[in-house]
Amino acid sequence: MKKRTIRGGWQATILCCALLGGPLFAQVSSYGDKQSGENTGDQLPQVLQKVGVSQRLNQQLPLDAAFVDETGKPVTLGDYFGKRPAILSLVYYNCPLLCSEEMDGLTSALEMVKLAPGKDFDVILISIDPSETPDLAAKRKAFYLKRYGRPETAAGWHYLTGQRPAIDAVTNAVGFGYVRVPGPDGRLSQFAHASSIEIVTTNGRLAQYYLGVEYSPKDMLLGLIEASGNKIGSPVANILTYCYHYDPQTNKHSLVIVRVVQLGGMVTVAGLGGFMFLMFRRDYKLGRDHDLTKKENG
């Protein structure tokens, strides 16, 4: 099968938002209190070993999984299948970093997809945090629906919350690995997780994965069209991306991404330096040959 390369991350862009986690006002230290973490190699922290996305194409979603929608109405996942394909996103609504980036990227891509939620497909977001409420889900829906700019499509956007058994049933089917981690207060209130969205067929089977936080409208349109005919796509390639994580025990940010940027900068500088050296050497040689020619002719 042909592989399609999608902008993404370490098995779905592991931006460790959970380690940054929670509301920003509760997590951001003052400028003088922040310290850059030490470079201890490029190995992922132990907590992230179980974080990622395993692409399970053609896997049937648990259509009997019970949730509550943003209005407080009890629903099952199967309520959204049978007529249209869907875009599925596993997030948690109180995450101000990676999940926000994912929802921003999804909304931006859909603005350029000439299909209508509620008519041609559905958008289903499921919180992985069982403590989150329909009220919070409703606020997130209102925010992104306003940003999307097409209020008439509201019936096609579904922001769900639920309890652990239903959440686990969906994440296990999708291959979405995540772990609960402590915040700065030591409470297990945050999540380390990956970022991806999935296209699901009309009968509830996983048809395509898109990794990362930016999505191609063209690929998304093609995925929805194929999923509407219950066609299963092909695995996508993973592109290695690192970001930084927050260690609440040491109040340090380990800037892993800086090492990647620094390495890229070093390669760029070395390349430019080498190019300039060769050009100067060529110009010097040409000038020297020109002087020698003048002397011989004189």
Side-chain angles (χ1 to χ4, degrees), residues 66-169:
F67 293 96
V68 177
D69 71 9
E70 67 280 354
T71 68
K73 175 185 175 182
V75 297
T76 64
L77 197 56
D79 291 341
Y80 306 112
F81 294 97
K83 297 180 180 180
R84 300 182 291 267
I87 298 174
L88 175 66
S89 177
L90 298 171
V91 295
Y92 71 107
Y93 305 131
N94 268 326
C95 173
L97 296 168
L98 180 58
C99 298
S100 297
E101 291 292 329
E102 180 176 323
M103 289 186 279
D104 287 346
L106 173 59
T107 306
S108 297
L110 288 179
E111 288 174 357
M112 294 181 280
V113 173
K114 302 303 180 182
L115 296 175
K119 177 183 177 183
D120 303 305
F121 66 97
D122 286 283
V123 182
I124 305 170
L125 295 98
I126 299 177
S127 171
I128 60 175
D129 185 351
S131 69
E132 293 190 327
T133 65
D135 287 342
L136 178 58
K139 291 177 181 178
R140 290 292 179 267
K141 176 175 178 176
F143 177 84
Y144 283 102
L145 188 62
K146 181 178 180 180
R147 175 170 176 176
Y148 183 57
R150 298 170 65 183
E152 71 277 8
T153 67
W157 296 76
H158 314 284
Y159 282 66
L160 309 183
T161 54
Q163 297 306 304
R164 180 61 57 204
I167 294 170
D168 286 347

Side-chain angles (χ1 to χ4, degrees), residues 235-258:
V236 297
N238 296 325
I239 301 175
L240 188 64
T241 301
Y242 289 103
C243 193
Y244 58 89
H245 70 277
Y246 175 70
D247 185 347
Q249 294 181 342
T250 61
N251 193 32
K252 293 182 179 181
H253 290 82
S254 298
L255 303 180
V256 182
I257 195 171
V258 170

Side-chain angles (χ1 to χ4, degrees), residues 10 17 23 34:
W10 180 84
C17 70
K34 284 187 178 181

Side-chain angles (χ1 to χ4, degrees), residues 232 251 284:
I232 306 300
N251 193 32
Y284 174 77

